[in-house]
Amino acid sequence: MNELGRLEDLPVAYREALTQRCLVPLWPNLRAVLPPQVPARKTRPTFWAYSSIRPLLLQAGELTPIEKAERRVLVLANPGHGLENMQASAAMYLGMQLLLPGEWAPAHRHTPNAVRLIVEGESAYTTVGGEKCVMQRGDLILTPTGQWHEHGHDGDQPVVWLDVLDLPLVYYMEASYHIDGQRQTVKPDRGDAVYARGGMVPTVNFERAGKPYPMLRYPWVEARAALLALAGNQPDLPSVQIAYTNPETGGDAQNILGFYAQMLRPGQSLRLPARSPAMVFHLIEGGADVQIGDQRFALGEADTCCAPGYTAVTLSNRSADQPAFVFIADESPLHRKLGVYENRG
Ligand code: 1HN
């Protein structure tokens, strides 16, 4: 490969003439934007222990009333992207949100898509597009682009959840904004009830494929049961993983980020191939080691880590007699839609 000319090789007067006209020579920058074989990635393998987040989040509950925060969140920021940019990866944002008993996080809607994965606590709920979605540990609740959402809490203990948004991408596109709204009226129909049994839906007072996001709450009890059934029925299945999908189309639950639940059998070590999208791992139950390149993180319950794209990841269940359950978020719907998805094995 040719050595390309450097900026310093050009006469100062020529460089200044370019700058004055808002012009830039490509060749000194070409290798930086198109590196050979593998992309440059700012995303670093990064680990966030829940035990280190939780006390600081509870302290935020004392320091900042909900009215002063709107959403009381500590952002899990990847140092490779600069902490102030609030990115876990190129396209993913992660935050741990605290809602205290009796608090109310008012209605708004925005262009970025969000999901919440419930980490701790009972009796909180989020109302999304008029559907009241109760929060139980491990549940996945969608807040797709443009849908009104607000959070409330009727219980007596703090509730914490993990927010995953495509905010970095939508912000980069200069398409990120929000609108404040009124408290929503709750409607009786709920996707998690309507679609509770796969393959069977109501026929009266119900229109199939009428909504782009027919199901907003994916209960963990159902996901866990599905994984255990899959593992039991197919003892040789190499990877016991389910994708969270749109029950009408069978496609991804949301447009930009993908969401999955992975079961690791007792003692199982599973190599995930090097693929172009970055990934996030959040441990729901059990304990697992996550090897990302030359870095190894020991995830206990509620711990989170992220891996850059184009990197193989090995997940290892630390228990020889109990399964481990991991929530995964990734950028693969985005990569597939843009035609840049790669699996390098
Ligand atoms: C948001 O609307 C929520 O509604 C949480 O709970 C985190 C991070 C960035 C932008 C909007 C929420 C968010 C957010």
Side-chain angles (χ1 to χ4, degrees):
M1 195 163 37
N2 269 346
E3 276 286 305
L4 299 181
R6 299 170 306 166
L7 195 60
E8 307 83 77
D9 300 337
L10 298 168
V12 171
Y14 177 76
R15 282 148 60 183
E16 282 173 359
L18 292 179
T19 304
Q20 277 166 13
R21 292 161 181 79
C22 298
L23 295 169
V24 175
L26 173 61
W27 58 97
N29 302 307
L30 184 58
R31 295 285 186 249
V33 294
L34 276 184
Q37 320 302 336
V38 184
R41 282 141 302 157
K42 291 183 185 167
T43 304
R44 287 189 210 151
T46 306
F47 170 74
W48 296 272
Y50 188 57
S51 62
S52 69
I53 299 173
R54 190 177 188 277
L56 294 169
L57 196 52
L58 291 173
Q59 209 179 338
E62 293 163 14
L63 295 170
T64 308
I66 192 71
E67 296 75 21
K68 290 281 176 198
E70 212 166 285
R71 300 294 190 263
R72 193 189 290 107
V73 178
L74 292 179
V75 179
L76 282 56
N78 193 305
H81 286 275
L83 298 182
E84 68 286 359
N85 290 317
M86 303 196 298
Q87 291 177 250
S89 71
M92 290 190 281
Y93 157 105
L94 295 176
M96 283 281 181
Q97 182 161 172
L98 170 70
L99 199 65
L100 293 170
E103 286 187 337
W104 182 250
H108 68 186
R109 62 192 180 100
H110 43 68
T111 43
N113 296 275
V115 302
R116 339 221 162 263
L117 193 282
I118 313 311
V119 175
E120 173 181 338
E122 291 281 323
S123 305
Y125 57 91
T126 180
T127 307
V128 183
E131 281 192 37
K132 184 170 176 174
C133 302
V134 300
M135 296 179 171
Q136 280 167 342
R137 208 173 79 81
D139 290 354
L140 182 75
I141 298 173
L142 308 188
T143 306
T145 178
Q147 300 221 10
W148 293 112
H149 56 284
E150 62 204 81
H151 315 304
H153 190 348
D154 297 334
D156 55 12
Q157 295 298 316
V159 165
V160 177
W161 63 82
L162 177 71
D163 291 312
V164 187
L165 282 81
D166 49 23
L167 176 67
L169 176 77
V170 178
Y171 182 77
Y172 178 74
M173 295 193 307
E174 302 187 345
S176 179
Y177 71 95
H178 91 281
I179 298 173
D180 288 326
Q182 302 298 315
R183 200 175 176 128
Q184 297 169 74
T185 309
V186 174
K187 297 183 289 192
D189 53 325
R190 289 195 343 257
D192 61 341
V194 163
Y195 291 96
R197 298 285 175 270
M200 293 173 278
V201 295
T203 51
V204 174
N205 282 349
F206 172 67
E207 191 186 345
R208 268 191 274 166
K211 296 177 181 171
Y213 303 97
M215 188 163 161
L216 298 171
R217 173 173 180 259
Y218 296 75
W220 175 240
V221 285
E222 303 291 347
R224 191 179 188 281
L227 288 166
L228 286 169
L230 199 57
N233 293 340
Q234 300 186 58
D236 298 328
L237 190 66
S239 173
V240 185
Q241 187 187 91
I242 55 171
Y244 291 97
T245 61
N246 176 322
E248 287 293 346
T249 66
D252 299 310
Q254 287 189 341
N255 281 326
I256 297 177
L257 302 181
F259 307 102
Y260 317 86
Q262 176 82 52
M263 179 180 137
L264 298 170
R265 299 175 196 268
Q268 184 179 9
S269 194
L270 177 70
R271 183 181 179 280
L272 307 177
R275 304 177 317 145
S276 53
M279 307 182 85
V280 162
F281 303 93
H282 174 82
L283 206 117
I284 296 181
E285 192 182 318
D289 289 337
V290 182
Q291 178 91 34
I292 307 167
D294 58 5
Q295 300 233 41
R296 194 174 181 88
F297 304 128
L299 269 65
E301 285 180 7
D303 293 345
T304 308
C305 70
C306 76
Y310 297 86
T311 309
V313 175
T314 301
L315 305 174
S316 305
N317 186 350
R318 274 201 302 278
S319 169
D321 48 30
Q322 297 296 323
F325 296 94
V326 184
F327 170 70
I328 301 177
D330 78 2
E331 300 167 334
S332 52
L334 172 67
H335 280 225
R336 288 180 203 276
K337 287 190 175 81
L338 298 182
V340 298
Y341 179 87
E342 273 188 64
N343 183 339
R344 297 209 174 167

